[in-house]
Structures are given as C-alpha cells and as structure tokens.
Amino acid sequence: MRSGTSVGANAFEAQNPHSKNDFINKIKIAAKELEETKYWLYLCKHSKNYPFNESLELQITEIGKIIYKILSTSLNKNHGI
C-alpha cells in the first residue's frame, strides 16, 4: 500500500518542481516506487497467505508505461535529443 501510493505522491509532487532536474528526480523516485510496488504484488501473487488482485497488477503496468514515457521524454528534452 505504501509503495503504491508513493508512486502517485511523487508524480504529483513533480508537478511543482524547482527546476527541470527536480522534476526528473521526482519522476525517477516515482519509477523506483513503482518497481517496489511491482515486487510486492509479485510476492502477493505467488503467496498463499496474501490476497492478490489481478486488476492491481494491470493498473501498475499501465501506470508504469506512463511514468517511464514521462521520464524518457523528459530526459531526451533535457539532453537536447
């Protein structure tokens, strides 16, 4: 729950950056939290003792596509590519 909500919190915080680098850093943190969330969902999926909801796995995959596209585009613009 914490890592999942942290993805959104960091992406939301990135909306008011001090600089382009600050924006990129916040999105990178959101990406790290996203990967942690995927890990916890993986553990739940393969555990007999924890509940698993497949729609959460699908949602985190879609959110990941968005976060990584934002990061890729921001890095390319920041480096003049």
Side-chain angles (χ1 to χ4, degrees):
M1 178 75 156
R2 286 184 195 164
S3 63
T5 56
S6 183
V7 176
N10 282 290
F12 197 78
E13 187 176 349
Q15 299 306 303
N16 293 301
H18 296 291
S19 65
K20 185 71 169 179
N21 284 335
D22 184 41
F23 176 81
I24 290 169
N25 286 332
K26 295 288 192 256
I27 295 298
K28 284 182 178 180
I29 293 169
K32 286 182 178 187
E33 295 296 331
L34 180 114
E35 293 303 322
E36 182 181 344
T37 302
K38 287 166 55 176
Y39 169 75
W40 290 119
L41 286 173
Y42 174 85
L43 289 182
C44 289
K45 183 177 185 175
H46 297 289
S47 172
K48 295 177 183 176
N49 299 323
Y50 291 99
F52 175 71
N53 184 328
E54 191 172 329
S55 71
L56 293 176
E57 187 176 46
L58 295 172
Q59 289 176 30
I60 201 68
T61 299
E62 291 302 311
I63 292 168
K65 290 176 185 177
I66 295 166
I67 294 291
Y68 284 114
K69 182 63 177 178
I70 291 169
L71 184 56
S72 173
T73 301
S74 298
L75 288 170
N76 288 339
K77 285 183 179 179
N78 203 39
H79 290 98
I81 296 174

